[in-house]
Amino acid sequence: PPAVPAAEPGPQTAGPVPVPVSAESPAALRAQAGRLRDRVAADEALRPVDVGLSAATTRALLRHRAVVVAADRDELTAGLAALADGAPAENVVTGVAAPAAGVVWVFPGQGSQWVGMARELWDSSPAFGARMAECERHLDGLVDWSLRDVLGDEAALARVDVVQPALFAVMVSLAEVWRSAGPAPDAVVGHSQGEIAAACAAGMLPLADGLRLVVGRSRAIAAGLSGRGTMASLAVPADQVDRERVSVAAVNGPGSVVISGPVHAVRAVVAEHDARGVRAKVIPVDYASHSPEVESIREEVLAAAAGVTATDSGVAFYSTVTGRRADAAELDADYWFRNLREPVRFADTVAVLAGAGHRVFVEVSPHPVLT
């Protein structure tokens, strides 16, 4: 017989990979996992990356699904064994496929950050690392700190003029990870500062403009609002907020709002709700975004947004300022001031997206605060 050509080297990976399993019923899913576990256990040459690639590209995607995340054979066989037994495992996720629907990328505002976020991913993910490096290049000359350094600096991340640009960089870089995996968005939505990241991830704003805007916006907050107020989250409907004492800064859901205003007023409202057994929590910020206080920095925010020009990209942008879809022409300097001044209509906007047929919402964030 003719000589068989040598096989090309398979994909290389230094980290965990997903291995998908699917079937037509929960029982069949467990049985499929058991067969795959036996197959992997019988062949020591099989690597998780090989099994994951074959499972993802050569088998049908049926309705009942699971993913085992594994960096080595032991993690893979243990995850498959747990799935076969119907037992929970940290590296196994199960679910039922939703009907085909538009994918929405969701970007939160300040609050999803944590000390050390992105530092390992910067080095392990080429898509993430390249975008972070691009952000770092654009920030050079705009700020006097290093993006890589501040990600692990708790004191630095406590400063609004540091955490907002850093969080923006992480969010737009996570978007590149999602894009590299295939599921490009049909629509984007952002919460407060997250709208800037959403516009950039959708291709409506150049990255340099987005960074310039978020740096200028956060500096205006630090210089003009810092020390003059605070914010808190309450588990109540918006119509139950005492608007004579505080402002409704965001409506996140039917029973979830953020209030904003003077420190004494916000803390008093939180104490009253605590006394009634209603979940209430002061947010660790020293300014009152999305309240009348923002009027005092109008000119500074308008100056930061001057020259920032959006262009339509084919990805739908849903505005949490207006509660509806917005085109690029609307995203002018005045819009970006309103983005900081007016309430965040997140619940309304999600309802509009759902009404338009969107069913898959992906929070592109270091921590799932909106989810």
Side-chain angles (χ1 to χ4, degrees), residues 32-75:
Q32 177 69 9
R35 288 192 294 272
L36 185 56
R37 173 202 56 201
D38 294 343
R39 177 70 178 85
V40 173
D43 187 348
E44 293 186 359
L46 287 178
R47 304 174 302 164
V49 67
D50 300 319
V51 180
L53 178 65
S54 297
T57 60
T58 69
R59 297 192 64 86
L61 284 175
L62 303 178
R63 185 164 175 262
H64 290 267
R65 301 180 183 181
V67 173
V68 178
V69 180
D72 54 40
R73 286 173 47 80
D74 289 343
E75 287 187 358

Side-chain angles (χ1 to χ4, degrees), residues 160 164 217-231 260-263 285-298 300-301 337 340-341:
V160 64
Q164 289 199 359
R217 178 186 191 269
S218 62
R219 280 182 176 162
I221 294 171
L225 293 184
S226 186
R228 294 170 48 185
T230 193
M231 305 173 76
S260 181
V263 175
V285 297
D286 66 349
Y287 53 87
S289 293
H290 309 286
S291 79
E293 288 286 336
V294 179
E295 292 291 344
S296 64
I297 59 170
R298 173 188 288 271
E300 290 82 353
V301 176
F337 171 74
L340 181 62
R341 167 64 179 88

Side-chain angles (χ1 to χ4, degrees), residues 174-356:
L174 286 171
E176 290 305 303
V177 177
W178 280 101
R179 198 183 307 276
S180 70
D186 299 286
V188 295
V189 64
H191 190 290
S192 191
Q193 175 200 329
E195 285 208 303
I196 308 173
C200 283
M204 299 176 74
L205 283 184
L207 182 64
D209 281 5
L211 281 164
R212 186 158 53 85
L213 174 57
V214 77
V215 167
R217 178 186 191 269
S218 62
R219 280 182 176 162
I221 294 171
L225 293 184
S226 186
R228 294 170 48 185
T230 193
M231 305 173 76
S233 63
L234 304 178
V236 298
D239 60 8
Q240 292 185 17
V241 174
D242 182 355
R243 297 175 189 244
E244 293 187 2
R245 290 192 290 169
V246 295
S247 298
V248 174
V251 181
N252 292 334
S256 177
V257 298
V258 175
I259 60 171
S260 181
V263 175
H264 68 277
V266 170
R267 290 190 177 277
V269 171
V270 168
E272 291 164 9
H273 283 78
D274 269 340
R276 299 203 306 267
V278 177
R279 183 187 61 77
K281 180 182 179 182
V282 175
I283 298 171
V285 297
D286 66 349
Y287 53 87
S289 293
H290 309 286
S291 79
E293 288 286 336
V294 179
E295 292 291 344
S296 64
I297 59 170
R298 173 188 288 271
E299 296 307 317
E300 290 82 353
V301 176
L302 290 176
V308 173
T309 304
T311 55
D312 286 315
S313 64
V315 177
F317 180 92
Y318 281 77
S319 165
T320 51
V321 176
T322 64
R324 57 174 174 76
R325 182 172 177 175
D327 60 33
E330 297 177 66
L331 306 187
D332 56 10
D334 182 67
Y335 178 87
W336 294 116
F337 171 74
R338 294 170 60 203
N339 162 270
L340 181 62
R341 167 64 179 88
E342 297 183 11
V344 180
R345 299 175 60 184
F346 185 71
D348 288 347
T349 312
V350 169
V352 170
L353 280 158

